[in-house]
Amino acid sequence: MKPSDTILVIGSNGQIGTELVADLRQQLGEDRVIAADLSFASGVNTNGPTEIIDVLDGNRLQEIVSKYQVTQVFHLAALLSATMEKKPKLGWRINMEGLFNVLDVARERGIGRVFWPSSIAVFGPTTPRDNTPQNTIMDPSTVYGISKLAGERWCEYYFLKYGLDIRSVRYPGLIGHKSEPGGGTTDYAVHIFHEALRAHAYQCFLNENTMLPMMYMPDAIRATLKLMDTPAANVKIRSAYNLAGISFSPKDIAAEIKTHIPEFQISYLPDFRQPIADSWPRSIDDSPAKADWGWMPEYDLAKMAQDMLHNIKKKQAEAALQL
Ligand code: NAD
Ligand code: SER
């Protein structure tokens, strides 16, 4: 990222965008980062330029890119796994047509660099589930996973065919305290902290032994920006890099929370998200990301849980004072 870059973040007000925009604005200045989403009613990201956009509207996208002379795009607008199982056709449109609009405007306008996230959902029930390699069987059984796998192939195609400098990672489930998760199968790992502090109890929609790859948001933002700042010659994978942080199950995270809140109780009532989780890896091999661009996570389960509890407790206390 150069100080002269102007960055457009599409889907800016979601779980990742909220933190990414704040981080980018801190580094580059508020005016250089344009937050774009369907609405700004919540007041998120309004400390700098904002644009209302539906990523399905390619003309509007062209207009914004041209208005600000955008040099980099982070395209985060999507439906996530759980929501998409309920609205498969709408999700397919948003995830695929939205991606095409971004890829086409980037190609036509000569945008320097594009980031689009993939997911561990590209893997499926017959993928090796432990230490899942970068290149392996990919047979996603969710609409979301199919859209991410197709997206990866299209990203690589635009790189090979048109030289578009597009970069991507397969994010694990992301956990943060600054924003809410947006309808994924891994959302429990955020909700559990809020409920542990509020009610000392949580009913989990996955069963106790469902181990999944996860990552704390500061690591995810650091990985994203590190990949985007890597010299193009070192970015050897143009579909999406495997990315790993922490792997744990609901039972593990509950035990960790109990070390801080001994009275915390967890119960389990698996729902339609259980088979989705069962089709995903338990842990990820991210050695290509480590080798190509020096990726290294900083947070383990204990460090992440301590930071989450500290910050959510503070937030809940501030909210109580305002009542
Ligand atoms: P989110 O649901 O929290 O946020 C998505 C944002 O996109 C929302 O603010 C929403 O209003 C916006 N949006 C939806 N449809 C839009 C449209 N048509 N036009 C413009 N904006 C639209 O999602 P997130 O968790 O921030 O995820 C961002 C990206 O990262 C997605 O591609 C997601 O698949 C990927 N990802 C997320 C995770 C995770 O754990 N959060 C893991 C893997 C991959
Ligand atoms: N965390 C995301 C989800 O559960 C994975 O892409 O949908």
Side-chain angles (χ1 to χ4, degrees):
M1 215 161 33
K2 301 185 294 293
S4 57
D5 273 320
T6 300
I7 296 186
L8 174 63
V9 181
I10 308 167
S12 59
N13 299 351
Q15 190 192 11
I16 301 172
T18 301
E19 298 217 24
L20 182 69
V21 168
D23 204 299
L24 287 169
R25 283 184 175 161
Q26 208 163 24
Q27 290 189 41
L28 284 178
E30 285 162 4
D31 289 349
R32 303 217 74 89
V33 182
I34 297 100
D37 208 305
L38 291 170
S39 136
F40 285 84
S42 64
V44 174
N45 287 327
T46 48
N47 65 333
T50 58
E51 292 288 347
I52 292 183
I53 190 175
D54 181 338
V55 75
L56 296 177
D57 183 347
N59 292 333
R60 174 84 178 120
L61 187 56
Q62 293 269 5
E63 185 187 304
I64 296 171
V65 165
S66 147
K67 174 177 169 187
Y68 293 95
Q69 299 293 298
V70 168
T71 58
Q72 286 194 11
V73 174
F74 291 73
H75 170 38
L76 307 177
L79 295 195
L80 272 75
S81 59
T83 311
M84 206 158 161
E85 285 305 299
K86 292 182 178 160
K87 301 176 185 171
K89 297 228 168 101
L90 174 68
W92 184 260
R93 268 199 80 206
I94 293 173
N95 289 16
M96 297 313 301
E97 279 179 41
L99 176 60
F100 276 124
N101 283 343
V102 171
L103 293 175
D104 285 335
V105 81
R107 179 165 73 91
E108 286 159 21
R109 298 257 165 193
I111 287 175
R113 227 160 254 192
V114 178
F115 177 81
W116 166 84
S118 184
S119 161
I120 53 166
V122 291
F123 300 114
T126 69
T127 301
R129 294 188 68 204
D130 295 303
N131 217 21
T132 303
Q134 174 72 39
N135 296 307
T136 184
I137 299 166
M138 296 168 98
D139 58 350
S141 53
T142 61
V143 193
Y144 175 72
I146 298 169
S147 78
K148 288 297 184 188
L149 182 53
E152 285 192 10
R153 302 322 308 155
W154 277 108
C155 287
E156 191 182 80
Y157 183 87
Y158 269 66
F159 169 73
L160 293 172
K161 185 95 177 172
Y162 307 117
L164 182 66
D165 188 352
I166 178 136
R167 298 157 184 226
S168 179
V169 292
R170 294 171 182 153
Y171 284 133
L174 300 182
I175 301 163
H177 58 85
K178 295 183 185 163
S179 51
E180 292 300 312
T185 302
T186 56
D187 293 10
Y188 91 85
V190 178
H191 297 150
I192 194 170
F193 286 103
H194 290 270
E195 291 307 297
L197 284 161
R198 196 187 60 80
H200 297 168
Y202 178 68
Q203 187 177 75
C204 186
F205 56 75
L206 298 181
N207 72 37
E208 61 180 344
N209 293 316
T210 311
M211 172 95 66
L212 285 169
M214 302 277 190
M215 179 174 280
Y216 198 33
M217 194 62 88
D219 271 343
I221 301 293
R222 209 165 43 78
T224 305
L225 298 180
K226 196 167 172 56
L227 174 61
M228 284 297 271
D229 280 343
T230 297
N234 294 1
V235 182
K236 302 199 177 101
I237 294 172
R238 295 298 183 150
S239 49
Y241 277 93
N242 271 10
L243 190 70
I246 325 161
S247 274
F248 58 80
S249 66
K251 190 167 74 180
D252 298 330
I253 194 171
E256 188 56 42
I257 290 172
K258 260 178 176 293
T259 66
H260 298 268
I261 307 171
E263 59 274 41
F264 175 62
Q265 293 295 329
I266 186 164
S267 56
Y268 301 95
L269 188 62
D271 66 12
F272 72 100
R273 290 165 280 196
Q274 185 65 50
I276 301 179
D278 288 341
S279 75
W280 289 354
R282 283 186 283 255
S283 60
I284 297 284
D285 171 17
D286 62 355
S287 42
K290 287 176 170 143
D292 291 357
W293 42 280
W295 163 243
M296 192 54 71
E298 285 181 358
Y299 284 85
D300 60 14
L301 177 57
K303 197 171 162 193
M304 178 273 286
Q306 186 173 32
D307 202 55
M308 281 292 281
L309 289 169
H310 170 76
N311 283 292
I312 295 169
K313 194 172 177 176
K314 213 161 83 182
K315 218 167 165 176
Q316 289 182 353
E318 283 163 9
L321 277 179
Q322 280 166 11
L323 286 178

